[in-house]
Amino acid sequence: MKMRRFNPNDAFCFFCGCPESKDRRLITGPSGNTFICNQCVKICNEILSQQTEGGEPIDLQNVPTPKEFKQYLDQYVVGQDDAKKVLSVAVYNHYKRMSISPVVKTEDSNVTIEKSNVLLIGPTGSGKTLLARTLAQRLKVPFAIADATTLTEAGYVGEDVENVLLKLINAADGDIKAAEKGIVFIDEIDKIARKSENTSITRDVSGEGVQQALLKIIEGTVASVPPQGGRKHPNQEMLQIDTTNILFILGGAFVGLDKIIEQRVHSHAMGFGSDVGEMKEEDRVMLLNQVTPDDLVKFGLIPELIGRMPITVALKELTRTDLVSVLTEPKNAITKQFIASFKLDDVDLEFDKEAIEEIADEAIRQKTGARGLRTIVEKMLMDIMFEVPDIKGKKKVTITKDIVNSNKKSISDIIKLYPNQIESA
């Protein structure tokens, strides 16, 4: 690259190095020897506006209505209509609150609108994490997932609760202003339930201690976060983040909570005519949707934490029909992902209807829900994915019920070349 020699008679922009032209006007600096063009000024203004817009209120016109939220969730999440509706309303109200001043003036007085965090109760593989991630994807806000089981009280082996916020800051590429409008999903919240309702002599550092530590950041505070994670040190520079406008969605399986609610709601019948059969899934979800703060206290959550999660919704366990839909219907359905992946190796991959149903049945037998579907499909296709790249030409693979059950004879019986290639082979 040639060096441009400065000539007072040949003025040029000191940013981009371009001379003045018909479309480029130069602005002279205070010294008279420096110049910047109008196009570079425009670029600088855009950079500055991006840096400062984090503090601006969210434009409510850009936030979808609850119905639009649910329609978007329907494209990616199968079933769970009640949870979708509750989450859509909660997220809409949260960002509506952020689009205005938290204090709303009324005729009588000023009303402060507080945020409403959400508690999702549902079995593994029912879609708790997917619902939260899809909402953040639609809003285009930073999103972080944390596991409550790794957290411990300050000063003990494990992670401080502030590391949850560090994940959100990292998801926002270090932009704290953007992170302050994000969504945090804390999974396995039921695993930090205290061991009993009675006060223990020993410290419960990974149970009740974590719940106590979560209180302030969930409610809203200016938290100090170690920039590299890990434990805090006295001489360490901290990142300051305001959690007032961060929406917290907490999720957990809460195994046994339905029994606690059942003891409160129903009086058990005894004798020969009593119904002691296994509880149906619809009844279980109906019970969980009747949960009260007292039930959660009996389970092991502290009252202060329950009060910071005013919205509670139960997710049902996915049925065979739901699992079949998960495999085929969503935009990013598992079968669609593998069909697209095989297409890169010139393979037309097909799934028989019976094969899809058998995969769903296997997930039910393993009690893994939708989360286990990909594991089943990966294991089933492993040998095929190993052989396919070395076979030249366009190929076709049809997955049948026998293949799902591992009753295949050989890979050559499954991978078929197209007829014109078979003749030339």
Side-chain angles (χ1 to χ4, degrees):
M1 186 176 70
K2 295 182 179 180
M3 296 290 292
R4 187 184 181 111
R5 184 175 295 177
F6 176 73
N7 184 347
N9 298 322
D10 184 19
F12 60 92
C13 175
F14 274 48
F15 275 73
C16 63
C18 297
E20 189 170 17
S21 64
K22 184 179 178 181
D23 299 325
R24 192 182 299 272
R25 290 172 47 227
L26 293 181
I27 302 168
T28 308
S31 65
N33 295 326
T34 56
F35 307 91
I36 184 171
C37 68
N38 61 318
Q39 295 186 17
C40 286
V41 170
K42 184 179 178 181
I43 293 172
C44 290
N45 279 330
E46 290 176 356
I47 294 171
L48 289 172
S49 64
Q50 289 173 2
Q51 292 176 345
T52 58
E53 70 180 2
E56 296 294 323
I58 286 181
D59 183 6
L60 191 58
Q61 301 298 323
N62 295 330
V63 178
T65 64
K67 282 189 177 180
E68 290 172 342
F69 265 130
K70 186 176 181 301
Q71 288 170 1
Y72 186 79
L73 289 172
D74 286 338
Q75 298 177 36
Y76 295 91
V77 185
V78 172
Q80 312 297 5
D81 285 341
D82 289 340
K84 288 177 187 174
K85 190 180 294 184
V86 169
L87 271 176
S88 298
V89 171
V91 171
Y92 175 77
N93 285 338
H94 177 70
Y95 284 95
K96 180 172 66 175
R97 164 185 172 272
M98 287 172 55
S99 69
I100 58 176
S101 171
V103 179
V104 180
K105 295 181 179 180
T106 63
E107 295 179 0
D108 301 328
S109 61
N110 294 338
V111 178
T112 302
I113 303 176
E114 297 181 353
K115 67 174 176 179
S116 297
N117 299 302
V118 185
L119 175 64
L120 299 179
I121 301 172
T124 180
S126 57
K128 299 185 294 292
T129 308
L130 182 59
L131 279 168
R133 183 188 289 115
T134 307
L135 279 173
Q137 176 184 314
R138 176 63 183 87
L139 283 164
K140 298 179 181 176
V141 297
F143 175 69
I145 301 175
D147 190 345
T149 56
T150 63
L151 304 175
T152 57
E153 193 176 341
Y156 291 84
V157 176
E159 290 188 1
D160 285 337
V161 294
E162 286 80 9
N163 286 333
V164 173
L165 301 175
L166 181 62
K167 292 180 181 179
L168 187 64
I169 295 172
N170 291 336
D173 295 326
D175 187 344
I176 293 180
K177 288 294 183 182
E180 289 177 344
K181 296 176 180 176
I183 297 176
V184 173
F185 178 72
I186 303 179
D187 203 3
E188 308 291 356
I189 200 69
D190 56 317
K191 304 302 188 295
I192 61 169
R194 55 185 173 187
K195 303 304 179 279
S196 68
E197 290 186 76
N198 301 322
T199 305
S200 175
I201 298 174
T202 57
R203 294 181 68 89
D204 187 8
V205 298
S206 62
E208 185 176 353
V210 177
Q211 294 186 50
Q212 297 284 359
L214 283 172
L215 292 178
K216 288 305 295 181
I217 69 168
I218 289 179
E219 182 181 23
T221 187
V222 178
S224 298
V225 181
Q228 303 300 327
R231 290 298 184 192
K232 296 178 181 177
H233 301 290
N235 300 324
Q236 190 178 21
E237 287 189 14
M238 298 290 182
L239 301 174
Q240 303 295 319
I241 179 170
D242 188 353
T243 65
T244 305
N245 291 325
I246 296 175
L247 181 65
F248 286 87
I249 301 175
L250 279 59
F254 288 88
V255 177
L257 180 60
D258 52 339
K259 304 298 182 185
I260 296 173
I261 302 171
E262 188 180 22
Q263 288 177 0
R264 174 178 57 83
V265 174
H266 299 300
S267 56
H268 286 282
M270 297 182 67
F272 293 107
S274 61
D275 182 13
V276 293
E278 189 175 347
M279 186 185 300
K280 294 181 179 178
E281 179 63 16
E282 293 80 5
D283 297 333
R284 190 189 67 83
V285 174
M286 191 179 298
L287 272 176
L288 290 174
N289 278 320
Q290 299 178 49
V291 67
T292 64
D294 285 342
D295 297 326
L296 292 171
V297 169
K298 286 182 179 179
F299 186 85
L301 298 187
I302 60 176
E304 299 91 332
L305 184 63
I306 298 166
R308 287 162 172 79
M309 297 180 294
I311 303 175
T312 305
V313 62
L315 283 74
K316 68 183 182 70
E317 190 171 356
L318 297 180
T319 63
R320 183 176 190 254
T321 304
D322 291 332
L323 291 173
V324 168
S325 299
V326 169
L327 283 164
T328 56
E329 291 181 7
K331 278 190 173 183
N332 58 340
I334 297 169
T335 54
K336 293 179 181 178
Q337 293 179 35
F338 279 97
I339 289 170
S341 176
F342 271 69
K343 186 73 72 175
L344 299 175
D345 288 317
D346 282 336
V347 181
D348 288 338
L349 180 66
E350 292 181 356
F351 289 85
D352 282 353
K353 182 181 177 181
E354 289 184 350
I356 297 285
E357 292 172 347
E358 186 62 26
I359 295 170
D361 289 337
E362 182 62 26
I364 292 172
R365 284 192 289 270
Q366 295 180 5
K367 296 183 179 180
T368 53
R371 182 176 282 111
L373 291 174
R374 188 175 188 91
T375 303
I376 296 168
V377 177
E378 286 272 7
K379 185 177 180 181
M380 174 187 68
L381 295 175
M382 184 58 63
D383 291 339
I384 301 173
M385 290 189 289
F386 181 79
E387 297 286 349
V388 153
D390 291 324
I391 301 176
K392 304 301 181 184
K394 197 170 183 182
K395 304 159 284 286
K396 182 176 181 179
V397 173
T398 302
I399 304 301
T400 63
K401 182 178 179 179
D402 287 337
I403 296 174
V404 177
N405 291 327
S406 301
N407 294 332
K408 53 184 182 290
K409 294 179 180 178
S410 66
I411 297 298
S412 59
D413 294 332
I414 300 169
I415 303 173
K416 302 293 184 183
L417 290 171
Y418 275 87
N420 57 340
Q421 294 168 345
I422 293 174
E423 292 174 4
S424 60

